[in-house]
Structure formats: C-alpha cells, structure tokens
Amino acid sequence: MSVSLVWFRRDLRLSDNPALTLAKSRGKPIICLFNLDSARVRRQDVDPIHIEWELDCLRTLKSDIESIGGVLLFSYGDIIEKIEEIHHTHKIAAIYGNEETGLQWSWDRDKAVAKWCESQGVKFSESPTNGVIRRLKSRDNWKRQRDSRMEVSVIEPITQIVAPDGLNSDHIPTITELGMIARPLAHRPNPGESAAIEVLQSFLEERGRTYRKGMSSPISAQTACSRLSPYISIGCISIRQILDYSNRKARIVQRNPRSKQNLGWTGSLSSFRSRLAWHCHFIQRLEAEVTLDHLAMNPEIDKHMARTIDGAKFRAWAQGNTGWPFFDACMRSLSATGWINFRMRAMLQSVASYTLWLPWQLTGLHLARLFLDYEPGIHWSQVQMQSGVTGINSVRAYSISKQSRDQDPEGHFIREWVDELSHVPTSHIHEPWLMSQDEQKKYGCMIGVDYPKPIVDEKISRKEGISRSYSAKSQPDSKNRSKVVYHLHGSRKRRRS
Ligand SMILES: Cc1cc2nc3c(=O)[nH]c(=O)nc-3n(C[C@H](O)[C@H](O)[C@H](O)COP(=O)(O)OP(=O)(O)OC[C@H]3O[C@@H](n4cnc5c(N)ncnc54)[C@H](O)[C@@H]3O)c2cc1C
C-alpha cells in the first residue's frame, strides 16, 4: 500500500497546517518527514543558533505527532536521497508540503523535488499558509488577495494520524550530535507550538497593552513586543492564527474601548496588526526577487554608492566595539540574546551603511546570523531599505546620539551591556569620550584603553553618508529603476510620486 508523505520545512506545527490536513483527507497512511539540508547548514547566513532552535522545536513537534499516532522521520543531508529511500520502502503516492518563500537555494531544492516527483509519477502539492501570493500578477492586487487569505478560518489541528505499520520515529539529534558547536543564548524562548501560543496569549492578555508606546526602546520592547518572531520564522505558529487571536481581542476591546481594562489596546492592536501585514508584504518581495541577499532592488543606486569593505570598521561594528555606548549595547545585547527590537535593528544596519559606509551584503549577513528569528524575506528587504538601495524608500540614517538619549536616557541599557561603562554617571554615559582624564580615572574607564574612542566622528560621517546617498538616488538611471522597483515591490498605500 502506498503512503502520503508530509514534508515539514518551516511549518513546525499541527494547527493551521494545510499540508497535513490535505494528506489526512487522502486516507492513506502518513509519513511525516523533516530533512535538515546539509547544503543550507553550510551557508553563510546560517548560524548554530538557528539549527539548535529548529531541532528543539522539531522535538516538540515529534512528540505532538506521536501523541496522535504519527511518526516523524528525521534526516540530515539531501532531501532527494531521503525521499528516494522512503519511496523504495513505502512507495510514496503524494508529497504534501506548505509553500516556503526563501532564497535561491530553497527554490532550487523545491524545484528538484518537483522534478523528482514528476519523473516518478508522484503527486507534489504545496499549500499557501500566509499572505504571500505565489505567481502574483501585479502588486496592485496584493492587498486584496492577502486580506482574503487572512479571512479564511484557521484550520483545526488533526486529531489522528495513521502511520505505516512497524515504522517508528527517528531520534532528533542535538546540535552536538550533528557535529556542530552550539552558541548558547541568554533568555532563549521555550521551543514549540504550545510555547508559541502561550507567548501570544501573554501578549494579548497584558504585555501588548503598551505595544505602541513601548516598541521603540530596547528596554520596554522586551516585554511590550509580542516576541513571536522566532516562532513565526520556523512556523510554530501561523500569521493567520495570530491574526485570529488578535481579531478576537479587538472585538472585545471595541465593545468598551474607554474602559480601564481596555486602555491602550485600540492603538496597540492596530499597530500590531499592521506589522502582521508587513510580514507578508516584505516576504512578497523575496517571492518576486530571490536575489535580495546579494543584488540591490535598485542596482544603479548601489553602484553609484560604491560602498567599500573596511576590515577595522566592520570588526568594530560587528563586535559592538565602536566606542558609541548605545550602539555597542545594542549589538552586544543582540549577540547574547538573539533578539532586539525593530528600531534598534534599523539603527544597527543604517549605522553600518550610512555612517560607516560598509557594503550591506556583508553587514546583512552578520545580522542574519545573530537574529534567532532570521526570516530572509523580511531581513533582506529591511537591510536594503535601511541602506537606501531600494530607491522607493526615504533615506533614513539613524543617529546613535539621538536614539541613545531618546531610548535610554538614564543609560540603564548601556550599563547592562557595556560593562566597561558600568560606573560612568548618566551625565557622561552617552558620550564618555568627552570625560576629562580625571573623570575617566574616577569612573574606572580610560577611553582608548578600557573602552574604545568612537571609530569615526558620527556627526560628520553620517552627514557624508546621507549626502552621498541622495546623490546616488538622484542619478537619472537610479530614478528610472526606482519606477520599476515601485511597480514590482512598492506598498500601494503610498501615493505615487
Ligand atoms: C535590518 C532589519 C532586519 C530584520 N530582520 C528580521 C528577520 O530576520 N526576521 C524577522 O522576523 N523580522 C526582522 N525584522 C523586523 C522586526 O524587527 C522584527 O520582526 C521584530 O523586531 C520581531 O520582534 P517581535 O516578534 O516581538 O515583533 P512584533 O513587533 O511583536 O511584531 C509581530 C510580528 O510582525 C512582524 N513584523 C514586525 N515588524 C516588522 C517589520 N518591520 N517588517 C516585517 N515584519 C514585521 C514579524 O513577523 C513580527 O514577529 C528586521 C528589521 C530590520 C530593521
């Protein structure tokens, strides 16, 4: 008797999982499979933190699958080899998966699987799970299509899986068993589907009330933001599920928005739901252009900018040793925990691109490895936006000096992450290089010895970066390309200029 194969990729959940539901409806025994692509593990945008997170989430998926009678096979290597092996022993009738929008390597892998299926007469079915539209004809229609996708009810989890007789689940290895060196993170979230729902509930019950106001500071954002991104990126929860819970909360709030218990929620829920739409909006860009990790949306601007690699600047930036306290605190905190809020991510990238004039491809790779929630479609779109190479977004070069005073006025975040400055008083915490020699001695921090001098003069270099960016953007070939970029990727909410 033949089997249905459910191929898990970035959809590690039972709820709202169309591939699993479709396979179940076919009535054949089901084999669930996860393959860790060895080609992917070797990629420069992949870090052990991603693999370890994935394996931990996979272990919870395995126990959820087993609890309803199923089995989960695990392999590490090439997907085609594994599918052939299963086909040999169990005869696969069909492979069911959920669509993944990734970089070129993942398209190549998926095309290879489709080709193999065709050659073997095996049906290959891929279902959409979010608002990213495959083969979208025009951006003009995207919002309507995305919204109608989101209106479809969440799919209830299946309650039983029939696996082929005598087949058992594989052991899910630890990262060490796979021969990789782990990079432990501080405050790492609990893995898995149930943990994702708990995090969402805690956000919608209380934490999210201050979302709108609290999302900008790296201190308040830790609790005010949903913290769902690591779960979303590996598919422990779907955008539709999050939206469904949020809509229910919004309906409760709408009944009495001014009551004490609903205070703050209207604005926060509206901001949150916008960001859930942004999620799909940005991934749609990668769906249309798989080269976003190395080719600028507007290559003419990128060429005119001609950013250059400077090893010393890159190292100082990447290690959080720039001599700018707030910047270093953000980079070190991200490196230790795998997460930082949106505004600080934007600052980290824009300082690299405007103030230090480093190539975005290089700095974007470094950040990709640091983010536990690395999601190529959002990541590379944002990296390009914060580097001014789309041509359709305004030049936005974050000032560290302003962000430091606005988001960490007392210097608490700085002192938490930059140990060298732990005794420096608030009056000097944002610009410790202005301390006199006596003050440096008094506060135990000699600039240039214990803590670096600023790597460049921020005011001058940032201004220079901005002016070079405007100049690149205003060239005729850049402007022509920007029209094409807008047509392909632009948000239709903006008025066309
Ligand atoms: C340079 C740069 C790189 C980024 N790289 C990633 C990445 O690799 N993975 C990633 O998930 N996010 C990325 N973001 C977007 C954003 O910073 C994170 O989604 C957010 O900080 C995650 O925390 P949260 O889940 O608590 O977000 P919340 O604010 O609670 O938002 C909920 C969800 O909405 C989506 N979302 C929020 N903000 C954005 C945004 N600006 N664009 C698109 N979707 C958004 C995410 O899926 C997020 O999990 C990047 C931003 C920048 C500036």
Side-chain angles (χ1 to χ4, degrees), residues 203 211 215 221 225-230 232-233 239 272 275-276 278-280 282 339-343 345-346 349 367 371 373-376 378-379 382-383 386:
F203 176 72
Y211 180 71
M215 68 167 87
C225 285
S226 73
R227 309 299 302 270
L228 284 166
S229 52
I232 301 172
S233 68
I239 293 288
F272 182 61
R275 274 146 189 88
L276 296 177
W278 292 359
H279 169 98
C280 304
F282 284 115
W339 186 86
I340 198 153
N341 60 326
F342 171 80
R343 185 174 292 222
R345 292 185 195 209
Q349 184 57 53
L367 291 181
F371 294 146
D373 58 27
Y374 174 48
E375 169 62 69
I378 303 178
H379 184 70
Q382 282 289 348
V383 165
Q386 308 302 339

Side-chain angles (χ1 to χ4, degrees), residues 310-359:
D310 176 318
K313 284 182 184 166
F314 175 72
R315 278 191 298 280
W317 174 87
Q319 292 164 5
N321 268 323
T322 59
W324 295 311
F326 185 63
F327 179 93
D328 291 343
C330 289
M331 187 61 99
R332 294 183 196 185
S333 158
L334 166 63
S335 184
T337 65
W339 186 86
I340 198 153
N341 60 326
F342 171 80
R343 185 174 292 222
M344 274 50 262
R345 292 185 195 209
M347 181 187 78
L348 294 176
Q349 184 57 53
S350 97
V351 166
S353 294
Y354 292 104
T355 314
L356 299 177
W357 209 246
L358 293 165

Side-chain angles (χ1 to χ4, degrees), residues 234-363:
I234 193 67
C236 290
I237 193 165
S238 72
I239 293 288
R240 197 161 45 189
Q241 283 175 287
I242 302 172
L243 205 53
D244 185 50
Y245 274 85
S246 309
N247 290 344
R248 270 187 265 162
K249 174 77 183 182
R251 281 194 291 274
I252 296 169
V253 171
Q254 271 159 17
R255 276 186 228 138
N256 196 356
R258 296 221 173 104
S259 72
K260 195 170 166 228
Q261 70 187 36
N262 290 335
L263 227 57
W265 275 110
T266 305
S268 285
L269 281 172
S270 156
S271 300
F272 182 61
R273 288 190 290 182
S274 302
R275 274 146 189 88
L276 296 177
W278 292 359
H279 169 98
C280 304
H281 165 75
F282 284 115
I283 299 179
Q284 187 71 52
R285 290 186 175 182
L286 186 65
E287 178 76 25
E289 223 168 346
V290 293
T291 49
L292 293 185
D293 59 333
H294 60 279
L295 264 186
M297 288 179 215
N298 192 318
E300 283 74 16
I301 294 189
D302 205 25
K303 189 186 78 203
H304 292 306
M305 283 179 168
R307 290 181 167 117
T308 46
I309 298 179
D310 176 318
K313 284 182 184 166
F314 175 72
R315 278 191 298 280
W317 174 87
Q319 292 164 5
N321 268 323
T322 59
W324 295 311
F326 185 63
F327 179 93
D328 291 343
C330 289
M331 187 61 99
R332 294 183 196 185
S333 158
L334 166 63
S335 184
T337 65
W339 186 86
I340 198 153
N341 60 326
F342 171 80
R343 185 174 292 222
M344 274 50 262
R345 292 185 195 209
M347 181 187 78
L348 294 176
Q349 184 57 53
S350 97
V351 166
S353 294
Y354 292 104
T355 314
L356 299 177
W357 209 246
L358 293 165
W360 57 268
Q361 293 91 337
L362 178 73
T363 51

